[in-house]
């Protein structure tokens, strides 16, 4: 519990800094949105490019682990979207809720927590999980959001509009460009690598401060509370790791400790990615902010229980 608390505490501290700054109006009334734009257009693209540019095919070629983790987050994402659509939610909002239920905080919490639990052998699996989360799952959500936001009835024109929107989206361009750079085999210049690490390193803390600013200046809507919030948090903390364990154990024959790494990473709370998209697309960020907070608090219990169970 204390090791997990040590990883989670900085997350709450950064949210609290933003919250206090918002309450005192230190950064101005538009700070949450502008800081989030910095993350979406500059910091996060730099991080995604850097991750993909430094990842070789050999490093991520663990098909059983990839399949188990992908099915875990993918099925939960798809199930949530279907449920929300049947509740007559807009496709864009349903897609963000899908991320709330399936987008694990692999980047900020995954690396330190997996290192504590499994040691240096966890670095490669955690990197794979982070890539799948911030590139694959994030990319699918962005595509669905863009599709949902188009009002063109003609199918061909709608597809063209979606493609144009995606081609201008830095969160899809950056990882694709990073993968293309990695394929060239060219070594990253030291100056460029330092630049990417400095700019990319600002993504998580700035997103968390932006979330705190948002919570301080916005009244949360009724959506995202009660059974809606409970479903998202339950899917994230219980259903996703359960599916990952079942797939890893019975479908793909993952053996400990790789199986436990996949389940631990799937059990992490909701990351800041869904909040970035909700705020960026103006789709009502309050339910997402609540999902991040409540899942992070709940993970203290669920993740601690799983670690105690496997030890």
């Amino acid at each position: 519990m204390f090791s997990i608390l040590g990883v989670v505490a900085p997350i709450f501290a950064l949210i609290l800094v933003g919250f206090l700054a918002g309450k005192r109006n230190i950064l101005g009334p538009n700070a949450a949105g502008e800081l989030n734009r910095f993350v979406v257009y500059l910091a996060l693209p730099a991080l995604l490019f850097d991750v993909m540019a430094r990842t070789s095919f050999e490093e991520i070629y663990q098909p059983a682990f990839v399949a188990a983790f992908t099915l875990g987050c993918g099925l939960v994402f798809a199930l949530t979207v279907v449920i929300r659509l049947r509740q007559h939610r807009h496709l864009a909002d349903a897609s963000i809720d899908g991320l709330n239920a399936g987008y694990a905080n692999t980047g900020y919490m995954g690396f330190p927590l997996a290192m504590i639990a499994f040691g240096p052998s966890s670095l490669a699996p955690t990197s794979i999980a982070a890539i799948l989360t911030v590139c694959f799952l994030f990319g699918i959500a962005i595509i669905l959001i863009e599709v949902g936001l188009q009002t063109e009835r003609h199918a061909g024109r709608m597809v063209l509009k979606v493609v144009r929107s995606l081609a201008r989206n830095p969160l899809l361009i950056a990882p694709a460009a990073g993968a293309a750079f990695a394929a060239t085999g060219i070594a990253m210049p030291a100056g460029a690598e330092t630049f990417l690490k400095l700019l990319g390193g600002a993504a998580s803390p700035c997103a968390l401060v932006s979330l705190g600013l948002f919570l301080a200046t916005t009244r949360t809507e009724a959506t995202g509370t009660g059974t809606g919030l409970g479903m998202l948090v339950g899917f994230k903390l219980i259903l996703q790791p359960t599916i990952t364990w079942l797939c890893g154990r019975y479908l793909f024959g993952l053996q400990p400790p790789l199986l436990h790494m996949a389940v631990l990473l799937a059990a992490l709370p909701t990351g800041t990615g869904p909040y970035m998209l909700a705020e960026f697309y103006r789709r009502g960020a309050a339910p997402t902010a609540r999902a991040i907070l409540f899942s992070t608090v709940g993970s203290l219990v669920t993740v601690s229980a799983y670690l105690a169970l496997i030890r």
Side-chain angles (χ1 to χ4, degrees):
M1 172 68 80
F2 291 107
S3 62
I4 298 174
L5 185 61
V7 176
V8 173
I11 295 177
F12 285 112
L14 285 166
I15 295 173
L16 178 62
V17 166
F19 183 83
L20 294 176
K23 283 298 184 183
R24 293 179 175 273
N25 199 28
I26 294 174
L27 302 179
N30 300 319
E34 296 306 316
L35 188 58
N36 193 67
R37 286 174 65 85
F38 163 75
V39 172
V40 171
Y41 278 104
L42 296 176
L44 187 56
L47 176 62
L48 295 175
F49 181 93
D50 186 40
V51 169
M52 295 303 295
R54 291 186 295 106
T55 304
S56 66
F57 177 77
E58 291 76 16
E59 290 176 315
I60 63 174
Y61 186 69
Q62 297 193 42
F65 180 90
V66 169
F69 187 84
T70 302
L71 279 175
C73 63
L75 289 176
V76 168
F77 174 86
L79 177 62
T80 305
V81 171
V82 170
I83 291 174
R84 288 311 203 196
L85 289 176
R86 294 189 67 178
Q87 295 173 344
H88 307 291
R89 297 289 296 276
H90 192 280
L91 178 59
D93 298 325
S95 301
I96 292 172
D97 273 349
L99 285 181
N100 289 335
Y103 187 100
N105 195 345
T106 50
Y108 197 86
M109 290 182 62
F111 284 99
L113 191 56
M115 181 68 74
I116 291 171
F118 302 105
S121 63
S122 66
L123 288 177
T126 306
S127 298
I128 295 170
I131 292 171
L132 291 171
T133 301
V134 302
C135 295
F136 170 73
L137 194 63
F138 213 54
I140 291 177
I142 291 173
I143 291 172
L144 291 178
I145 291 170
E146 291 288 352
V147 170
L149 294 178
Q150 300 305 322
T151 57
E152 182 65 59
R153 292 186 177 182
H154 190 278
R157 292 176 183 174
M158 187 189 74
V159 170
L160 184 60
K161 283 186 176 181
V162 171
V163 170
R164 286 175 177 172
S165 297
L166 295 176
R168 295 193 299 266
N169 194 307
L171 301 179
L172 294 181
I173 295 172
F181 180 85
T184 66
I186 300 174
M188 179 77 70
E193 185 173 355
T194 301
F195 165 78
L196 290 171
K197 289 190 180 301
L198 287 172
L199 185 56
S204 287
C206 285
L208 290 167
V209 172
S210 174
L211 192 155
L213 286 164
F214 175 84
L215 291 173
T217 57
T218 306
R219 290 184 178 180
T220 54
E221 300 96 326
T223 56
T225 60
T227 57
L229 176 62
M231 182 192 77
L232 297 178
V233 173
F235 278 15
K236 180 72 218 61
L237 298 183
I238 299 175
L239 183 60
Q240 184 179 346
T242 299
I243 293 175
T244 303
W245 183 83
L246 291 172
C247 291
R249 179 69 178 87
Y250 295 107
L251 287 183
F252 306 109
L254 277 178
Q255 298 297 318
L258 203 58
L259 174 63
H260 297 318
M261 291 182 198
V263 175
L264 175 67
L265 293 167
L268 294 174
T270 307
T272 55
Y275 168 75
M276 296 177 198
L277 285 188
E279 177 67 17
F280 179 71
Y281 283 105
R282 298 291 189 266
R283 298 306 304 180
T288 297
R290 286 175 173 264
I292 293 171
L293 284 172
F294 279 85
S295 65
T296 301
V297 173
S299 69
L300 289 172
V301 177
T302 56
V303 174
S304 296
Y306 184 73
L307 288 176
L309 183 65
I310 65 176
R311 287 187 173 182

